[in-house]
């Protein structure tokens, strides 16, 4: 539960609002309480959405659908008004976590828990289907776990069987990874109750194994696998395996009905106790219930306090937004907001605070987790830049560095981000280190308007947006996306004229990264008119000698590994053992000292396409202008003096982007404008900045302009810088 914002109402139709449960592009879900103490989840749509006739019709349909379903395993509607200026709907509040939250925090459920979960959700779906509806979005986030059993929620995209009027043709509706093949292919006329049964099969596999049966990654990858691949059911208990397989039949007619599933799962109902769930999940429910019981009565917001500007909304509906962008302080019985901008600072007594003299640059990084080596390098670069700024005699203001360690844990990343976004002195942040933590943390930055500059997170949706989402105005990416990195890596392969049939292996440990890399590689080789031999293997595959032997037998003359360091090491050892002499290529997520150490002699003759330069090689590069070499040499010397060692990879780029921010702020101060978040992203996006590692400019989306991918080869157990990847395939460049 997160605090209400000053722009939030205090009461809706008799429900006293106690806080925010979540928010997104469509609206806000509040925790409400009735006069007799009953709690409810109150969903309120944004006014601008309510002005759209199609959206209001959809909301009305959601209310009607939810009211038609009568089941103890579906959350009931307790009130609604789809015709209000801001349509709202209230449902009974369930204090427990969603299935997705529980599995992410505590792992897969035991067999009996999965059976009881399946029985209850199947019976809820049977009630949905008996009401003439199809839910269409049965997923872990839409199943809440309570002490007396699970509850199915969210009828936002449910529709009557055979109804198509409110669904555009060729539009995929639902959550990829938990969709039936007929939904994945947007065969609207074929979507019926059997689609919910397929999703239930995915749900049961996820609950039993802790992973979706068709993997993770980009939506198009998940949709393709759903239609064409067999599900990965490794780890599903034997007694459930046949049922789950039947649910996941590609042919809707071959699946059992929800009612049949409820009868086949003959476990007793959970009853009033919580023994159907493992102890860690029960503790989570108990803790949340205790927090709800401890909520105090809150006086209604005093009239006449004014209306604050509403918070910015997330660009992506699948990211849960939290309301930590503003710091709330109680004063005089009313809620007051402390702006993130310095000229709006107020003291608790309502008087203007003294002018701010210290401002902060934030660092959101993995300092103690799996990517700690990169995160620490980024923090050192940022710290060196801030210290350089503070050493200036003409500095217009003092600066501090505020560091927040997300530990590489996506579950901790949002809170780590809030430590920065809710501090009004922080004007820009370097980070995140990784894609996963970035996706979790991004909503806090989008709500607060705080610019986020990354040198290592290549997930494409940080900057790109779809037709239904506003343009990015939060992230500047000082590196290529993984998609573009894959294309440039393929272009680098084409520099070797002997390569005719490269083998490309996608391993699915980091499915999102590897899929984006493969898509970029497909584009790059397509431009070069090269037809690779592709192979996809699951994350748990370890028999790389057999896998790569088959690829060699298929005629591959070069190898491209789309995966993480651990599996790249397995591939290196296997190729060395097989006597493969062709060149071997891999991307960003395998790069670093650990690969050299773990692969040993098998690392020789591997090539890497990565988004960072070697500062030591750059200061000696005679092809650069003397002034550029001198700039880099000065940075290297300053780093040695400060830290007693040469800078690591990612340090120089982090130093540069922080200096770009500081130079912009200094120019603003010279023009009489104090540091502020507002408008800073747009100013930085328009920059053409030259730093110690080269030049930085950005396109309209906030992505780095130009190539930005550099090639390294392993020689004698060390990385050797070869140069920038080509902007086009070698054969086209010659033409």
């Amino acid at each position: 539960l997160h605090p209400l914002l000053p722009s939030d109402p205090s009461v809706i139709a008799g429900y006293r609002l106690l806080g925010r449960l979540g928010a997104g592009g469509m609206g806000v879900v509040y925790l409400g309480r009735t006069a007799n103490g009953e709690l409810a989840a109150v969903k309120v749509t944004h006014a601008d959405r309510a002005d759209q006739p199609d959206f209001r019709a959809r909301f009305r349909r959601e209310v009607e659908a939810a009211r038609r379903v009568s089941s103890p395993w579906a959350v009931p509607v307790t009130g609604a008004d789809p015709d209000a200026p801001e349509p709202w709907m209230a449902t009974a509040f369930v204090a427990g976590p969603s299935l997705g939250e529980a599995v992410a925090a505590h792992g897969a459920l035991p067999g009996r828990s999965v059976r009881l979960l399946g029985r209850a959700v199947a019976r809820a779906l049977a009630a949905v289907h008996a009401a003439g509806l199809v839910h269409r979005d049965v997923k872990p986030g839409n199943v809440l776990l309570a002490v007396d059993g699970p509850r199915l929620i969210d009828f936002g995209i449910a529709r009557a069987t055979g109804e198509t009027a409110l669904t555009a043709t060729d539009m995929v509706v639902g959550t990829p990874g938990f969709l039936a093949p007929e939904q994945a292919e947007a065969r609207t006329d074929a979507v019926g109750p059997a689609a919910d049964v397929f999703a239930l099969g995915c749900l049961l596999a996820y609950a039993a194994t802790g992973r979706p049966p068709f993997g993770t990654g980009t939506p198009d990858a998940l949709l393709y696998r759903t239609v064409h691949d067999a599900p990965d059911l490794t780890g599903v208990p034997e007694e459930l395996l046949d049922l789950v397989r039947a649910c996941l039949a590609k042919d809707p007619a071959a699946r059992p009905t929800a009612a049949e599933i409820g009868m086949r799962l003959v476990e007793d109902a959970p009853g009033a106790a919580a023994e159907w769930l493992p102890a860690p999940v029960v503790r989570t429910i108990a803790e949340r219930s205790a927090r709800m019981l401890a909520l105090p009565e809150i006086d209604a917001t005093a009239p006449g306090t004014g209306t604050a500007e509403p918070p910015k909304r997330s660009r992506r509906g699948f990211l849960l937004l939290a309301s930590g962008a503003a710091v709330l302080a109680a004063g005089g019985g009313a809620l007051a907001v402390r702006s993130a901008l310095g000229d709006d600072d107020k003291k608790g007594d309502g008087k203007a605070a003294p002018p701010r003299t210290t401002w902060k640059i934030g660092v959101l990084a993995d300092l103690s987790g799996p990517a700690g080596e990169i995160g620490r390098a980024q923090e050192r670069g940022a710290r060196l830049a801030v210290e350089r700024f503070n050493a200036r005699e003409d500095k217009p203001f003092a600066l501090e560095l505020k560091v927040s360690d997300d530990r590489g844990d996506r579950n901790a990343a949002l809170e780590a981000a809030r430590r920065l976004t809710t501090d009004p002195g922080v004007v820009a942040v370097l980070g995140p280190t990784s894609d996963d933590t970035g996706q979790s943390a991004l909503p806090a930055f989008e709500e607060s308007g705080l610019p986020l500059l990354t040198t290592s997170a290549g997930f494409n949706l940080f900057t790109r947006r779809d037709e239904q989402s506003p343009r990015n105005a939060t992230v500047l990416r000082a590196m290529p996306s993984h998609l573009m990195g894959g294309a440039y890596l393929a272009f680098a392969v084409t520099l070797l004229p002997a390569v005719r049939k490269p083998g490309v292996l996608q391993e699915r440990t980091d499915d999102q990264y590897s899929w984006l890399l493969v898509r970029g590689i497909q584009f790059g080789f397509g431009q070069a008119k090269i037809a690779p031999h592709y192979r996809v293997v699951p994350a748990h595959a370890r028999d790389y000698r057999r896998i790569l032997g088959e690829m060699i037998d298929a005629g591959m003359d070069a190898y491209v590994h789309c995966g993480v360091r651990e599996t790249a090491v397995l591939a290196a050892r296997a190729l060395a053992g097989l006597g493969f002499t062709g060149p071997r290529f891999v991307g960003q997520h395998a790069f670093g000292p650990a690969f050299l150490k773990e692969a040993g002699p098998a690392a020789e003759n591997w090539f890497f396409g990565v988004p960072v330069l070697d500062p030591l090689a750059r200061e000696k590069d005679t092809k650069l202008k003397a002034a550029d070499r001198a700039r880099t040499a000065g940075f290297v010397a300053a780093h040695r003096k400060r830290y007693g060692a040469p800078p690591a990879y990612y340090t120089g780029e982090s130093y540069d982007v922080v200096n770009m921010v500081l130079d912009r702020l200094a120019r603003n101060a010279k023009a009489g404008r104090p540091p502020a978040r507002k408008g800073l992203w747009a100013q930085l996006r328009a920059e053409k900045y030259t730093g110690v590692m080269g030049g930085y400019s950005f396109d309209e989306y906030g992505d780095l302009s130009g190539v930005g991918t550099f090639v390294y080869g392993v020689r004698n157990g060390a990385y050797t810088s070869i140069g920038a990847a080509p902007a086009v395939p070698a054969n086209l460049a010659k033409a």
Side-chain angles (χ1 to χ4, degrees):
L1 184 68
H2 305 296
L4 294 172
L5 298 179
S7 56
D8 287 328
S10 59
V11 176
I12 290 180
Y15 293 92
R16 178 66 179 93
L17 303 187
L18 306 178
R20 284 179 162 218
L21 294 170
M26 299 296 181
V28 183
V29 181
Y30 298 101
L31 177 64
R33 183 163 54 199
T34 64
N36 61 8
E38 295 177 354
L39 294 177
V42 185
K43 180 178 182 179
V44 182
T45 63
H46 292 305
D48 57 345
R49 292 281 185 177
D51 290 338
Q52 303 170 14
D54 287 350
F55 180 83
R56 190 177 285 274
R58 172 179 161 178
F59 190 85
R60 182 179 293 106
R61 186 180 54 161
E62 177 182 0
V63 173
E64 293 171 353
R67 281 175 165 164
R68 284 165 65 177
V69 176
S70 177
S71 170
W73 313 118
V75 173
V77 174
T78 58
D81 187 356
D83 298 314
E86 290 187 324
W88 63 272
M89 177 175 67
T91 58
F93 177 71
V94 179
S98 70
L99 174 63
E101 290 177 293
V103 170
H106 307 297
L109 299 182
R112 180 171 183 268
S113 297
V114 177
R115 292 194 300 274
L116 287 167
L117 173 80
R119 182 177 185 270
V121 175
R123 293 193 170 193
L125 288 175
V128 170
H129 301 158
L133 299 170
V134 184
H135 189 284
R136 298 201 299 171
D137 201 18
V138 180
K139 61 182 180 180
N142 280 344
V143 175
L144 302 181
L145 304 182
V147 292
D148 58 346
R151 298 291 190 277
L152 181 66
I153 64 169
D154 198 348
F155 290 81
I157 61 174
R159 67 169 173 83
T161 304
E163 178 189 337
T164 60
L166 293 176
T167 303
T169 57
D170 299 326
M171 184 176 72
V172 175
V173 178
T175 302
F178 294 87
L179 294 180
E182 57 269 28
Q183 288 176 284
E185 293 183 314
R187 292 185 279 121
T188 306
D189 292 343
V191 176
D196 287 344
V197 170
F198 189 96
L200 176 58
C202 295
L203 190 85
L204 296 178
Y206 173 81
T209 66
R211 64 182 187 280
F214 295 99
T216 59
T218 57
D220 51 352
L222 293 172
L223 297 176
Y224 179 88
R225 291 188 211 118
T226 299
V227 174
H228 299 287
D229 289 5
D232 180 3
L233 301 181
T234 306
V236 174
E238 188 68 31
E239 67 271 21
L240 285 171
L241 199 53
D242 288 343
L243 177 60
V244 173
R245 282 199 183 112
C247 292
L248 297 179
K250 303 296 186 188
D251 180 3
R255 301 169 201 154
T257 66
E260 290 170 349
I261 295 169
M263 293 176 64
R264 287 175 64 174
L265 294 169
V266 294
E267 283 282 353
D268 292 336
E275 65 268 10
W276 77 282
L277 287 170
V281 180
V282 176
R283 283 197 296 271
T284 299
I285 296 173
E287 290 166 0
R288 293 192 180 189
S289 299
R291 287 200 296 270
M292 296 303 106
L293 291 172
L295 285 171
E297 292 291 343
I298 305 173
D299 292 336
T301 304
T305 57
T307 302
E309 181 182 347
K312 295 184 178 180
R313 298 169 190 157
S314 172
R315 291 180 286 114
R316 282 168 293 284
F318 67 83
L319 291 174
L320 177 66
L321 301 188
S323 59
V327 180
L328 299 178
L335 291 176
V337 66
R338 236 186 126 180
S339 169
L341 307 181
D343 54 359
D344 290 334
D345 279 356
K346 301 288 182 183
K347 295 193 296 183
D349 57 8
K351 298 179 181 179
R356 182 178 296 281
T357 58
T358 301
W359 301 89
K360 302 170 187 176
I361 296 296
V363 174
L364 176 67
D366 176 3
L367 302 178
S368 56
E373 186 176 81
I374 296 174
R376 290 187 292 273
Q378 292 169 327
E379 188 269 341
R380 284 188 170 190
R383 189 172 299 280
L384 198 60
V386 168
E387 291 175 353
R388 163 191 173 273
F389 183 89
N390 285 336
R392 290 172 46 175
E393 292 184 1
D394 64 340
K395 64 179 181 292
F397 43 79
L399 276 170
E400 294 178 3
L401 193 73
K402 182 169 183 175
V403 180
S404 188
D405 180 9
D406 62 30
R407 308 190 305 277
D409 180 357
R410 68 181 308 162
N411 296 316
L414 185 58
E415 187 59 35
R418 287 201 191 103
R419 291 195 287 269
L420 301 172
T421 60
T422 57
D423 183 336
V426 177
V427 293
V429 173
L430 172 72
T433 302
S434 68
D435 299 331
D436 276 354
T437 56
Q439 289 176 69
S440 297
L442 186 59
F445 290 92
E446 291 185 320
E447 274 199 328
S448 64
L450 185 61
L452 183 65
L453 300 94
T454 184
T455 60
S456 59
F459 180 48
N460 60 328
L461 291 185
F462 287 151
T463 51
R464 299 285 162 159
R465 78 280 187 261
D466 59 35
E467 294 178 354
Q468 298 178 344
S469 301
R471 182 184 294 272
N472 165 51
T474 304
V475 179
L476 287 175
R477 186 182 0 241
M479 57 168 288
S481 69
H482 296 317
L483 194 68
M484 295 307 300
Y488 296 135
L489 183 61
F491 294 165
V493 177
T494 68
L495 292 173
L496 303 173
V499 174
R500 293 290 182 270
K501 190 174 183 180
V504 178
L505 184 136
Q506 176 194 350
E507 66 85 11
R508 290 167 52 185
T509 301
D510 186 342
D511 211 3
Q512 184 169 265
Y513 162 74
S514 61
W515 172 252
L516 289 173
L517 203 63
V518 165
R519 289 302 298 268
I521 285 169
Q522 287 175 328
F523 172 81
F525 282 139
Q527 292 289 296
K529 303 298 189 290
I530 291 175
H533 173 71
Y534 289 101
R535 181 72 185 270
V536 181
V537 298
H540 53 75
R542 289 296 179 267
D543 189 6
Y544 273 76
R545 189 179 181 93
R546 178 187 59 80
I547 295 166
L548 299 184
E550 293 172 355
M551 295 177 71
I552 293 171
D553 291 342
M556 81 169 181
D557 52 18
Y559 175 68
V560 184
H561 188 85
C562 299
V564 299
R565 186 193 76 244
E566 293 83 355
T567 56
V569 169
L570 295 177
R573 293 172 179 166
L575 289 173
L578 290 166
F580 181 73
T581 58
R584 286 138 280 185
F585 293 82
V586 68
Q588 173 188 358
H589 282 194
F591 184 66
F595 177 85
L596 301 179
K597 180 179 178 181
E598 294 169 10
E604 290 296 305
N605 298 317
W606 274 72
F607 296 91
F608 292 75
V610 296
V612 289
L613 278 164
D614 180 356
L616 301 182
R618 182 174 169 81
E619 70 172 334
K620 299 173 183 176
D621 188 349
T622 57
K623 291 181 287 187
L624 293 176
K625 294 179 180 179
D628 291 333
R629 293 202 308 274
R631 190 181 293 111
T632 306
F635 160 69
V636 172
H639 191 281
R640 288 185 187 274
K641 181 178 179 180
R642 174 66 173 82
Y643 295 109
Y649 296 110
Y650 295 96
T651 306
E653 287 79 9
S654 302
Y655 176 81
D656 277 349
V657 297
V658 172
N659 271 322
M660 180 178 69
V661 174
L662 303 184
D663 284 2
R664 178 73 259 177
L665 293 176
R667 296 202 305 275
N668 287 350
K670 189 174 181 180
R673 297 192 296 272
R677 300 174 181 182
K678 187 176 182 180
L680 182 58
W681 180 88
Q683 291 181 323
L684 295 172
R685 193 204 62 75
E687 286 286 332
K688 289 181 171 51
Y689 180 79
T690 300
V692 301
M693 306 304 288
Y696 300 83
S697 62
F698 303 90
D699 66 17
E700 61 179 311
Y701 301 104
D703 277 318
L704 182 72
S705 299
V707 176
T709 292
F710 304 94
V711 182
Y712 292 80
V714 181
R715 297 289 183 271
N716 300 318
Y719 291 112
T720 299
S721 177
I722 295 174
V728 295
N731 60 343
L732 294 184
K734 291 176 182 177

